[in-house]
Amino acid sequence: MTALPTHTTKKLGLLIDLDICVGCHACAVVCKEWNDGGQFGPLSDEDPMGAKPVGVWFNRVHSYTVDPATPAESPEPARACGDKAIPLSGPAGRLGLSLHFPRSCLHCEHAACVTVCPTGASYKRAEDGIVLVDYDKCIGCKLCSWACPYGAREYDEVQGVMKKCTLCVDRIYNTTLAKEDQQPACVLACPTGARMFGDFADPDSAVSQRSREREGQALLPELGYAPTNRYLPPRPRRDGAASAPKNSEAIDAQELPSVLRWLDRVLSR
Amino acid sequence: MNPALSVIAFTTLSGAGYGLMIWLGILLPFHRQPPLPPQFGWVAMVLALVLVSAGLLASLAHLGHPERAWRALSQWRTSWLSREGIAAVWCFVPALGVLAVLLGYAPITWLSWLGPLLSVSALVTVLCTAMIYASLKTVPQWRDWRVLPLYALFALASGAVLLLPVLNWAAPDLALNMPSTTAQAALLIAFALRYWQRRHWRDLDATPSLAAAIGLPGAGEARVFEGAHTEASFITREMVFRFARKHADAMFFTALLLGAAFAGGLLELASNQGGGIRIGFALAAVCAYAGIFLERWLFFAEARHVVSTYFERR
């Protein structure tokens, strides 16, 4: 049924830390590998060894640069980081930053991709909130991909059906795997620990707590899809003045002996 | 959005067919003075059925699994595409009923209720088609009150233009001034509303900033530094970079020229020619369809999906 559940017992999702993501694409590659061979595979490619390869990936890592905010855009002068208050001039600090942004399905509470589906192939599970596609029912009309603002769904041209992130539903409940491996492949693969998996419906879960501490952001909440996944914004950068090296003693070089004057000149370069 | 030929063919061909059905449902039972020529009704009805079927077949060509299309009739509670499918299938019932009456297989009195039923069913189907697009919050250009009246008006206009060559063929002596004026008015109103919609699109600034899209609404301006992939993906092919920005104005001008000016002018000439078979009616229908086809191409090509925020280099 494409009617959304009014309530899901759990809200399973990902917490992605934009502060420590290094943009290595390991999550994207391991996702492709697992889902090519897992219960939902294969993830087809067209022309995989050719000049213009195109294929289905559930995870895409974008790289952006963010300009420093002007003071008018960011009025707050300082934010707490640990136990220190660090002056900054916006989330990007005074220097701006480069940022890697992994984009995948956010398993929205109000998933429009599900309600527009004419066949009932798309559905949101009442028990854990995971949004899935039944590949045996999908007619490949692609309307769900049009309804998603996050570009989470990719059409499989070879199989003629729509595909999307399953939150590794074939791993997280897979009791043949060791307990620590019962997590989405992308979370396990991340070398910096920038991805966490958990239940956002439980306020005491690790993802809920971390999201609260670090002001986890929902993407484009104003559109009303109520995504489950949260993104942790980069930690405040140290203000330029605070992080500048201690200034050297002011000395009058003319008063120094000639050897020291030469040394001062060399070291001052 | 990618202006897929199958979707444009579907909306324009089925739109013309349903427009024809709307007019026939009104004309056949209520037009008695002078009586319509007998072969007009069933020929126009068959033409409408052929156009609708061609449009629906084109929409099947858009599917990855056309053989599963029957499943699309199941989710009418939430999906406008499903509602459209049900309305389209239902529409064949009054349409074939009217055809049965016209061919003499059912009493002529049935037209008094079959006709209005057909008109309402065809109009509902067109409005359901429009709602597929108007209900998508991800394409701000389509979240516009004008989308519904536009789909209905273009269907009515193309139906009215198609009626004329059939009427002219069935009854060459009829002057056809009234139906010509109706068709001209429908075309003019439709294209005027579409012109107004494009003016509105030009001033529309509804897409979010990239900084907001990546969860940093308070940050400064964000820009693409490196793409997520070197080649195209389904998302970029279907929803990004398919803009008709460069030639959009010229194309819309051509659509206006063909659909409103040429079609309207040809109708004017043909209806003032007196009696006989007039080729101008057929040419007007061809011009109007070409104009509406271009207009529909731009309806898709000029629409900007929210997801393109993640990809565009500005």
Side-chain angles (χ1 to χ4, degrees):
Chain A
M1 261 317 120
T2 53
L4 294 169
T6 48
H7 173 78
T8 61
T9 319
K10 287 180 173 180
K11 290 178 188 170
L12 296 185
L14 298 171
L15 182 70
I16 296 169
D17 191 341
L18 297 180
D19 193 55
I20 55 176
C21 173
V22 292
C24 69
H25 293 247
C27 53
V29 173
V30 79
C31 167
K32 175 82 173 171
E33 184 185 19
W34 174 261
N35 287 295
D36 197 28
Q39 189 182 326
F40 293 87
L43 283 189
S44 313
D45 295 306
E46 297 164 69
D47 194 21
M49 303 299 160
K52 294 265 174 208
V54 177
V56 184
W57 293 63
F58 295 158
N59 236 329
R60 303 283 196 178
V61 185
H62 299 252
S63 296
Y64 301 119
T65 56
V66 183
D67 288 348
T70 58
E73 285 170 333
S74 173
E76 50 178 332
R79 273 169 81 179
C81 179
D83 51 0
K84 281 190 293 186
I86 291 171
L88 78 163
S89 51
R94 277 193 186 160
L95 301 173
L97 51 82
S98 62
L99 186 106
H100 306 287
F101 177 81
R103 184 174 53 81
S104 59
C105 175
L106 309 172
H107 297 279
C108 299
E109 274 178 65
H110 305 146
C113 56
V114 171
T115 54
V116 300
C117 174
T119 65
S122 282
Y123 60 104
K124 183 172 175 71
R125 293 166 32 126
E127 60 268 38
D128 52 19
I130 299 179
V131 176
L132 290 175
V133 180
D134 183 341
Y135 300 152
D136 294 331
K137 283 186 184 160
C138 177
I139 58 173
C141 73
K142 312 177 191 81
L143 187 59
C144 54
S145 68
W146 290 17
C148 173
Y150 310 109
R153 291 177 169 237
E154 298 201 7
Y155 180 69
D156 190 326
E157 294 278 357
V158 178
Q159 293 184 23
V161 296
M162 191 57 73
K163 302 219 164 159
K164 70 176 290 301
C165 160
T166 66
L167 209 59
C168 280
V169 71
D170 51 348
R171 290 188 67 93
I172 60 178
Y173 296 114
N174 188 342
T175 48
T176 61
L177 296 174
K179 190 73 196 155
E180 63 271 24
D181 286 336
Q182 291 174 25
Q183 294 196 68
C186 58
V187 173
L188 294 170
C190 180
T192 62
R195 302 174 76 94
M196 283 175 79
F197 163 70
D199 178 13
F200 285 90
D202 174 8
D204 299 323
S205 68
V207 286
S208 294
Q209 287 183 10
R210 183 79 64 88
S211 182
R212 261 199 312 278
E213 286 162 15
R214 296 266 314 275
E215 295 174 34
Q217 300 287 313
L219 301 184
L220 302 173
E222 66 275 16
L223 293 178
Y225 299 106
T228 301
N229 288 9
R230 289 288 183 274
Y231 285 80
L232 300 178
R235 289 186 177 84
R237 294 301 188 259
R238 286 174 179 78
D239 179 272
S243 61
K246 288 276 182 295
N247 218 346
S248 52
E249 290 288 325
I251 47 170
D252 187 359
Q254 295 306 316
E255 288 181 359
L256 295 171
S258 57
V259 177
L260 288 183
R261 198 159 65 226
W262 170 80
L263 196 61
D264 176 59
R265 211 166 56 234
V266 170
L267 290 175
S268 298
R269 268 178 199 164
Chain B
M1 303 294 294
N2 175 23
L5 203 62
S6 51
V7 177
I8 298 169
F10 156 58
T11 57
T12 53
L13 288 174
S14 73
Y18 289 125
L20 206 47
M21 286 183 186
I22 295 172
W23 289 116
L24 287 173
I26 302 167
L27 273 176
L28 293 173
F30 302 113
H31 194 93
R32 290 279 182 269
Q33 294 293 329
L36 290 164
Q39 65 279 46
F40 159 73
W42 73 263
V43 170
M45 201 62 222
V46 167
L47 178 63
L49 281 165
V50 166
L51 286 169
V52 163
S53 306
L56 293 175
L57 285 176
S59 80
L60 288 187
H62 186 67
L63 301 182
H65 280 279
E67 79 283 3
R68 298 177 185 167
W70 60 272
R71 288 187 184 276
L73 306 178
S74 65
Q75 304 302 310
W76 48 272
R77 285 183 202 81
T78 62
S79 168
W80 280 104
L81 180 52
S82 189
R83 289 167 196 164
E84 197 269 347
I86 291 170
V89 171
W90 159 254
C91 222
F92 280 99
V93 175
L96 291 173
V98 168
L99 190 63
V101 172
L102 294 169
L103 294 175
Y105 294 111
I108 191 89
T109 49
W110 285 17
L111 273 186
S112 59
W113 59 272
L114 269 176
L117 185 66
L118 175 64
S119 297
V120 171
S121 305
L123 182 65
V124 166
T125 312
V126 172
L127 293 179
C128 283
T129 310
M131 274 310 290
I132 297 172
Y133 308 108
S135 67
L136 293 175
K137 279 191 289 185
T138 46
V139 184
Q141 279 99 332
W142 296 349
R143 279 297 265 196
D144 179 22
W145 66 267
R146 280 161 285 232
V147 170
L148 258 73
L150 274 173
Y151 269 76
L153 277 167
F154 278 119
L156 281 170
S158 43
V161 177
L162 279 171
L163 267 182
L164 284 156
V166 185
L167 263 175
N168 182 229
W169 163 81
D173 297 333
L174 283 181
L176 301 177
N177 284 322
M178 242 288 271
S180 274
T181 312
T182 311
Q184 285 170 324
L187 281 170
L188 270 179
I189 296 170
F191 275 102
L193 188 62
R194 183 74 172 88
Y195 179 79
W196 186 21
Q197 183 184 54
R198 277 193 87 239
R199 287 289 297 268
H200 163 70
W201 284 6
R202 205 175 52 194
D203 305 329
L204 191 70
D205 186 22
T207 41
S209 72
L210 176 54
I214 59 175
L216 301 174
E221 200 189 336
R223 271 176 299 228
V224 173
F225 160 58
E226 201 166 60
H229 34 80
T230 51
E231 300 302 325
S233 72
F234 167 73
I235 299 292
T236 59
R237 288 203 295 205
E238 185 81 357
M239 282 166 273
V240 194
F241 300 138
R242 297 286 188 139
F243 298 113
R245 280 187 191 136
K246 199 174 170 190
H247 303 296
D249 285 340
M251 287 184 71
F252 188 68
F253 182 72
T254 313
L256 282 180
L257 207 63
L258 285 168
F262 284 8
L266 283 164
L267 287 175
E268 193 63 31
L269 285 175
S271 61
N272 287 327
Q273 254 178 6
I277 298 279
R278 284 153 276 173
I279 193 76
F281 285 127
L283 288 177
V286 172
C287 281
Y289 182 75
I292 291 170
F293 188 92
L294 265 181
E295 173 282 316
R296 199 56 50 84
W297 190 90
L298 286 169
F299 176 80
F300 289 96
E302 283 195 282
R304 184 179 182 275
H305 195 284
V306 166
V307 78
S308 52
T309 310
Y310 291 105
F311 293 87
E312 275 182 310
R313 293 170 191 274
R314 301 190 184 219

